[in-house]
Amino acid sequence: MAVDELQAIIQRCQILEEADFKGEDFNLFLVAGQKCLEDGYAAQLLEVIQNEKNKVIIKNMGWNLISPLVRCIFMYKQEDDKREHCLRILDQLAQICNPKELFLGLLEQIEQTSGDQVCQTVMLLLQPLQTVLLKLQNKKAYSVGLSLAMIMNQLTSLPVPYTKQQIQEDKLGLCQCCNAVVDFAKPFVNEVVKNMEKSSEYDDMELKEELLKFCMKSLKYPLLTAQLEQLEGIEEHPFRHFATEIIDILWNIRELLPLVFLHHKGKSPPWENQEFADIERKNSADSLACLSYLMFVQHFGIECFPVVFSPSYLLLCNMTHIEVLLKRTEESMLSKGLDLFESSLLRMENNSLLHDYLEFRDFINAPQDLVKIMTLCPMEHLRKKSLSILQLFIDKFDTEGKYTLFRCLLKTSNHAGVEGYIIKNIKDQIHLSLTKEYDSVWFTGHHLISLLDLVLSLPEGAETDLLQNSDRIMASLNLLRYLVIKDCESDNQTGVWTTLTKIEQNFLKPLRVGLNMSKAHYEAEIKNKKENRKEAHSSNTVCSVTVSGEKMPAMTTGMQLQVLHSALFTFDLIESVLARVEELIEVKIKAVMDEN
């Protein structure tokens, strides 16, 4: 019987001194103890462990039982008495065993777990692990750091619940486990706080640094990926609670404000391998970006925030984090970047952001990232939000800043729709300059002429793909029509009449030639399709066609004809606006000549 075998080993070891225990004794104890657990004699094993006479034996050998003990706990159902006996054994081992040996045994068990048992195992072992760590005298900070790192590494293999239903179900137990880990860390946070209160020059930074590393890892996972908006029907959002606890730890160990403003990253080892150094830098950037989002969007820890900084300085501080998030493709991270950008801009008055800020690289990169999201992101709501934030960004700059930003975006966007949108903004700024009591030098005169050189031109002259560039061309023609109507040749505030010959040469004439060529090409294509359809057995014959330089997906001849007619309609629209512009120019010039 397993219990008899265990009793025999115990009696044999009771007469030995602690130093005389041999490897064979450890093995026999492990085999007998494991057999007791597997055969259902957990109650008898608990009695053996609780017996004061066996304390020395259990102290030295008990840690070996951790692995079979965990297996048995998961094997029994919640209401089973045997499971309760196993849990009491685990608690007794935490109290009696050699802390160093048990610490390694617990960590090994956490390291070996995987899949859907990760959170169960971690939550089971957190309490005994905490008990053991509090007993350790030497290398305590290192052991706490190792424990937290091991736990977080195991958790990062799990998907983060994102939707309301996933959070409520919490199938793998991640939500519950994250908050349990914070509770596990609290005694060590309190220890750091007490030591800092005793001395203003707190020397033992090791434990503090380990807690800082834990917070940085928690910011990257799960918080950077998690849905942190308040959800209806969830009274206490587990990830919002976790975020609050992490912010509290950072504040208590006096690292919250240094992280936000000084971009302090803690003591990181100097990596000889550049690849490792880059990974650590990226992880740190992700964590800091998440921290800014928590503070400035979700307002966690905002009560600790000094109300002395200007909105433009806060935007400057956040631009690095905004750029980090906008370069991600995951919805959860991209949406956080957009929210942080929007929140930072909404604090500012329109026209209050000085043009000097565009000398910072992030202020040029961020609008370019917005353009990429607007044109490439598969999620419509994020594309729309990017557009609204781009407009908000434009609105905040002073006149010179707007002018500089427009030039930059016209040169870098490489997207006709975006260019058309920027040209519409330029038109709005010219209108303000012409209607205000004071003139704006940036959207009149020689500055505007320089900008019009970019706007009123065709990238490849008459051979430009007019269909692909139709948004830009229509916006340019509307701008030119506005200038011709609004600015009299005698006033010439905008300078458009001075440069009219250049505009006709570089824009109007090539556009007219390009329109004639494009219309002729598409009309011939339509004629060709109609003739082919007559010869075909059925109008449902599948064909291929190339439009705007791209081969279109397979479609029937009827569908292709619809596309070709749509292109012709676009050309007719452009031609009608072009004719109106040419007519207005002619009328204005004739009126001046008659007046003279």
Side-chain angles (χ1 to χ4, degrees):
M1 188 177 171
V3 177
D4 294 334
E5 290 177 17
L6 181 64
Q7 289 288 4
I9 295 162
I10 291 291
Q11 288 172 5
R12 173 184 162 183
C13 292
Q14 278 178 343
I15 60 174
L16 297 174
E17 293 293 325
E18 190 174 346
D20 295 332
F21 292 151
K22 297 177 182 177
E24 183 186 354
D25 300 322
F26 284 83
N27 290 333
L28 289 171
F29 176 82
L30 171 61
V31 171
Q34 184 172 327
K35 204 165 187 307
C36 284
L37 289 169
E38 290 171 353
D39 292 352
Y41 297 113
Q44 289 83 343
L45 178 59
L46 178 61
E47 288 178 14
V48 170
I49 291 171
Q50 289 175 325
N51 191 329
E52 276 293 319
K53 294 179 181 178
N54 304 329
K55 194 169 184 179
V56 175
I57 301 169
I58 302 304
K59 176 187 172 185
N60 287 274
M61 302 183 188
W63 65 273
N64 279 303
L65 295 175
I66 292 296
S67 181
L69 193 56
V70 169
R71 282 200 303 274
C72 287
I73 290 172
F74 289 144
M75 184 175 67
Y76 296 126
K77 292 181 180 178
Q78 286 283 350
E79 62 278 5
D80 198 319
D81 288 342
K82 292 173 184 175
R83 188 176 192 276
E84 182 59 35
H85 291 139
C86 289
L87 290 172
R88 289 177 62 188
I89 290 171
L90 183 60
D91 181 60
Q92 286 293 310
L93 293 178
Q95 302 296 332
I96 300 170
C97 288
N98 182 307
K100 183 180 176 182
E101 301 292 343
L102 187 58
F103 167 70
L104 294 174
L106 292 169
L107 270 199
E108 183 181 10
Q109 197 59 39
I110 292 173
E111 184 181 22
Q112 289 175 353
T113 189
S114 62
D116 56 3
Q117 283 201 331
V118 169
C119 290
Q120 294 179 53
T121 304
V122 169
M123 285 191 285
L124 174 66
L125 300 181
L126 278 177
Q127 187 57 56
L129 185 59
Q130 185 190 70
T131 302
V132 169
L133 287 169
L134 290 170
K135 288 182 178 182
L136 286 177
Q137 300 300 321
N138 299 323
K139 294 188 175 181
K140 183 177 186 177
Y142 170 79
S143 301
V144 170
L146 187 61
S147 302
L148 289 170
M150 180 72 72
I151 291 166
M152 294 308 293
N153 284 343
Q154 286 292 75
L155 294 182
T156 50
S157 65
L158 304 177
V160 178
Y162 190 71
T163 65
K164 178 182 174 181
Q165 184 180 351
Q166 289 172 344
I167 292 170
Q168 286 176 321
E169 288 177 356
D170 193 21
K171 282 185 179 178
L172 298 178
L174 182 65
C175 301
Q176 187 182 354
C177 188
C178 285
N179 287 297
V181 175
V182 169
D183 292 336
F184 165 82
K186 281 182 179 177
F188 311 109
V189 175
N190 294 336
E191 185 177 326
V192 169
V193 170
K194 282 182 184 177
N195 287 332
M196 287 194 297
E197 287 172 351
K198 286 179 186 174
S199 169
S200 57
E201 296 181 6
Y202 175 48
D203 293 329
D204 184 13
M205 298 295 289
E206 287 185 21
L207 185 54
K208 180 180 173 180
E209 284 294 334
E210 296 298 344
L211 292 170
L212 178 56
K213 287 177 190 175
F214 162 66
C215 290
M216 292 291 278
K217 284 182 179 177
S218 299
L219 289 167
K220 180 172 171 62
Y221 177 95
L223 292 177
L224 186 60
T225 309
Q227 163 67 269
L228 292 167
E229 298 292 340
Q230 191 66 59
L231 297 173
E232 189 178 346
I234 299 181
E235 189 172 336
E236 187 171 23
H237 192 311
F239 289 126
R240 287 180 67 85
H241 180 263
F242 182 63
T244 303
E245 296 285 0
I246 293 298
I247 295 291
D248 284 348
I249 292 175
L250 288 171
W251 174 253
N252 288 330
I253 64 174
R254 301 177 190 174
E255 287 292 338
L256 182 60
L257 295 184
L259 280 175
V260 173
F261 289 110
L262 305 180
H263 295 178
H264 165 66
K265 298 184 178 71
K267 292 180 181 176
S268 54
W271 293 102
E272 292 182 9
N273 187 315
Q274 185 59 40
E275 186 179 347
F276 289 157
D278 292 341
I279 290 171
E280 181 165 318
R281 194 179 304 112
K282 181 181 179 300
N283 288 341
S284 181
D286 287 343
S287 300
L288 292 171
C290 184
L291 177 61
S292 283
Y293 169 81
L294 292 176
M295 286 202 70
F296 296 109
V297 178
Q298 296 297 336
H299 303 131
F300 291 114
I302 201 70
E303 66 280 358
C304 310
F305 192 76
V307 192
V308 294
F309 300 105
S310 69
S312 56
Y313 177 72
L314 293 179
L315 176 63
L316 177 63
C317 289
N318 282 330
M319 283 305 280
T320 303
H321 309 313
I322 290 166
E323 190 184 354
V324 166
L325 294 172
L326 292 188
K327 290 194 184 304
R328 304 301 290 264
T329 54
E330 302 91 333
E331 180 185 3
S332 59
M333 300 179 198
L334 202 49
S335 61
K336 286 183 177 66
L338 292 173
D339 288 343
L340 180 57
F341 204 174
E342 183 180 47
S343 173
S344 301
L345 291 171
L346 287 173
R347 289 188 177 87
M348 305 185 66
E349 297 288 332
N350 284 354
N351 309 307
S352 65
L353 191 58
L354 298 176
H355 62 274
D356 302 322
Y357 280 88
L358 287 170
E359 295 177 11
F360 293 102
R361 179 180 57 83
D362 294 333
F363 278 79
I364 292 293
N365 289 348
Q368 292 176 357
D369 290 333
L370 287 176
V371 167
K372 288 177 183 174
I373 298 167
M374 286 159 47
T375 56
L376 300 174
C377 180
M379 289 161 276
E380 184 183 2
H381 68 286
L382 294 183
R383 292 199 303 272
K384 287 181 176 179
K385 184 156 189 174
S386 298
L387 178 61
S388 68
I389 292 172
L390 178 63
Q391 187 60 59
L392 201 58
F393 189 60
I394 291 168
D395 293 342
K396 300 307 172 186
F397 273 100
D398 61 17
T399 313
E400 185 178 348
K402 289 182 175 72
Y403 178 89
T404 307
L405 192 57
F406 293 156
R407 288 188 70 91
C408 172
L409 289 172
L410 283 172
K411 288 180 177 179
T412 60
S413 66
N414 296 317
H415 189 279
V418 175
E419 290 164 1
Y421 186 80
I422 297 302
I423 292 167
K424 181 184 175 299
N425 266 274
I426 292 171
K427 175 175 166 286
D428 293 341
Q429 290 303 313
I430 294 170
H431 179 72
L432 288 173
S433 299
L434 294 176
T435 53
K436 281 183 178 178
E437 292 180 1
Y438 58 92
D439 290 335
S440 168
V441 296
W442 292 99
F443 289 97
T444 56
H446 71 278
H447 286 301
L448 178 58
I449 290 171
S450 174
L451 193 56
L452 291 178
D453 286 342
L454 285 174
V455 173
L456 302 176
S457 64
L458 294 175
E460 296 167 34
E463 295 180 0
T464 300
D465 187 333
L466 301 186
L467 198 59
Q468 192 166 332
N469 287 277
S470 60
D471 287 340
R472 178 197 168 113
I473 292 167
M474 285 297 291
S476 299
L477 285 171
N478 282 325
L479 171 59
L480 183 55
R481 180 173 59 175
Y482 170 83
L483 292 173
V484 172
I485 293 171
K486 194 73 179 175
D487 192 14
C488 297
E489 189 174 353
S490 55
D491 295 335
N492 197 23
Q493 288 177 270
T494 61
V496 68
W497 295 101
T498 308
T499 190
L500 190 58
T501 305
K502 189 177 180 183
I503 292 170
E504 288 178 336
Q505 194 66 35
N506 294 343
F507 183 57
L508 298 179
K509 285 181 180 178
L511 180 56
R512 172 64 69 186
V513 173
L515 276 171
N516 292 335
M517 290 167 56
S518 297
K519 287 179 73 175
H521 171 74
Y522 276 81
E523 283 167 355
E525 191 72 31
I526 289 172
K527 184 180 178 183
N528 187 36
K529 292 293 172 191
K530 285 180 177 178
E531 289 174 357
N532 288 343
R533 185 163 66 172
K534 287 176 185 176
E535 296 171 7
H537 294 295
S538 167
S539 63
N540 291 327
T541 304
V542 175
C543 309
S544 65
V545 68
T546 300
V547 175
S548 299
E550 293 184 11
K551 192 171 183 179
M552 299 182 69
M555 50 173 64
T556 64
T557 305
M559 292 166 67
Q560 292 175 46
L561 283 168
Q562 281 185 331
V563 172
L564 293 169
H565 279 296
S566 176
L568 271 182
F569 176 77
T570 301
F571 297 145
D572 287 341
L573 197 61
I574 294 173
E575 188 173 34
S576 68
V577 180
L578 173 59
R580 178 63 179 148
V581 169
E582 290 173 334
E583 181 189 346
L584 286 168
I585 292 171
E586 187 179 339
V587 169
K588 285 265 186 169
I589 292 174
K590 188 175 184 300
V592 171
M593 288 175 67
D594 290 347
E595 190 178 320
N596 290 338

